[in-house]
Amino acid sequence: MKTTITNTIKGKFLQFVFLLLAGSCVPNRNIVYFSDLKETASYTEEIKNKVTPRIQPDDLLSITVSSLNPESNILFNNGVLQSAGSGGITGTTGRVSDGYLVDKDGAINFPVLGSVILGGLTKEEATEKMVSEIKKTVKNPIVNIRFLNFRITVVGEVNRPSTLTIPSESINIIEALGLAGDLTVYGKRENILIIRESGGKRTAARLDLTSKNILNSQYFYLQQNDVVYVEPVKAKSIQTGNAVVYLPIITTVISLISLLSVIIIRR
């Protein structure tokens, strides 16, 4: 009888050890970026996939106008008095504008001019359009346009998930992941998801960071409001669930060990 109980305990214990070893086994993964680029080879290629951001609905634009006429500057800058040679604000009346929100039709409501459609234009094209409109009222105006909400969101298996505001208005996927603290060891480098909204449509694409082909992808350079999601590898799900899966087993083993100790003492 004692031999049977002892053998049963040994069997349960071996089963427990086997499960622990199975859960800790993680297959080898390629975690090297651009691993198909040979170390001894140089790589040169013309950049053809860089996209210039275009103004979209819900974009927030900073638009400043400067000229030699201080009174006109006040009108066009919502109370900001700025002269062409001053290099900055020389005085203010009223509030400083927080930016111009592009509506669903791609238009902004600009002082004096009223509704101006900028949607679908690049920053340079929008600047030219604003200059052509303003110079009907002011001689030789200087217009500066900047995105105030050019931002992207990086979530998932990165060290610092966050929404990032990009002052340069240009960023690629590698730079974005760098700002988010890079991928964790559990990040799935072969399947990075990019979610993009543009022209009233939502698209999704997946990038493989281990391949140099990512450099030519139209999604390598991110656009405003892109979402980057880093999926976890299956190994994390297994390891995260181990504590819950094995808790009853651990309790059983502890009980069996206690029982075994009693039997050994009685012998």
Side-chain angles (χ1 to χ4, degrees):
M1 181 65 178
K2 291 181 179 179
T3 302
T4 302
I5 294 175
T6 302
N7 289 337
T8 302
I9 294 172
K10 287 181 179 179
K12 293 283 187 181
F13 184 76
L14 290 174
Q15 182 183 12
F16 170 69
V17 172
F18 173 76
L19 288 172
L20 284 178
L21 291 175
S24 62
C25 291
V26 179
N28 291 330
R29 296 189 299 116
N30 182 10
I31 61 174
V32 180
Y33 295 171
F34 316 118
S35 59
D36 54 353
L37 277 175
K38 296 181 180 179
E39 294 182 4
T40 57
S42 60
Y43 178 81
T44 304
E45 188 173 37
E46 183 181 355
I47 298 175
K48 298 179 180 180
N49 57 339
K50 191 167 185 177
V51 179
T52 302
R54 292 188 177 273
I55 297 171
Q56 304 175 16
D58 297 325
D59 279 346
L60 191 63
L61 304 176
S62 167
I63 304 177
T64 58
V65 179
S66 58
S67 70
L68 295 175
N69 188 328
E71 290 76 14
S72 297
N73 292 340
I74 292 175
L75 292 176
F76 285 114
N77 291 296
N78 278 347
V80 178
L81 180 60
Q82 192 173 29
S83 61
S86 67
I89 297 175
T90 58
T92 61
T93 58
R95 67 179 182 84
V96 177
S97 173
D98 295 324
Y100 297 91
L101 183 65
V102 182
D103 65 20
K104 61 182 179 62
D105 298 318
I108 62 169
N109 187 23
F110 199 75
V112 182
L113 302 181
S115 179
V116 182
I117 296 178
L118 300 180
L121 302 180
T122 65
K123 190 171 66 173
E124 289 72 21
E125 293 169 346
T127 300
E128 291 178 5
K129 183 171 183 177
M130 293 297 295
V131 168
S132 68
E133 293 293 330
I134 295 173
K135 72 179 182 181
K136 296 176 182 178
T137 306
V138 179
K139 186 177 181 180
N140 298 325
I142 298 174
V143 177
N144 290 301
I145 299 179
R146 184 168 61 89
F147 288 98
L148 291 177
N149 64 339
F150 190 103
R151 57 175 179 253
I152 58 170
T153 300
V154 185
V155 293
E157 284 300 321
V158 292
N159 287 299
R160 293 192 300 273
S162 57
T163 296
L164 309 167
T165 300
I166 313 301
S168 64
E169 301 167 8
S170 177
I171 188 171
N172 61 50
I173 182 65
I174 304 301
E175 293 171 326
L177 292 173
L179 291 173
D182 204 0
L183 278 69
T184 69
V185 68
Y186 295 109
K188 198 171 185 179
R189 287 153 174 80
E190 305 84 0
N191 205 17
I192 306 297
L193 178 64
I194 310 294
I195 301 173
R196 175 171 297 169
E197 294 184 5
S198 179
K201 297 180 180 179
R202 182 181 294 111
T203 58
R206 295 186 181 272
L207 301 179
D208 182 359
L209 295 181
T210 66
S211 171
K212 70 178 186 298
N213 293 331
I214 187 181
L215 300 174
N216 297 316
S217 171
Q218 63 177 317
Y219 290 89
F220 180 71
Y221 288 97
L222 301 177
Q223 296 183 19
Q224 64 265 45
N225 304 316
D226 277 0
V227 176
V228 180
Y229 171 64
V230 181
E231 183 181 348
V233 294
K234 291 182 179 179
K236 182 174 184 182
S237 301
I238 295 173
Q239 293 187 15
T240 302
N242 279 348
V244 177
V245 172
Y246 294 139
L247 184 59
I249 300 175
I250 293 172
T251 305
T252 302
V253 170
I254 292 174
S255 300
L256 291 174
I257 291 174
S258 300
L259 179 59
L260 180 62
S261 300
V262 172
I263 292 173
I264 292 174
I265 292 173
R266 289 182 178 178
R267 290 181 61 183

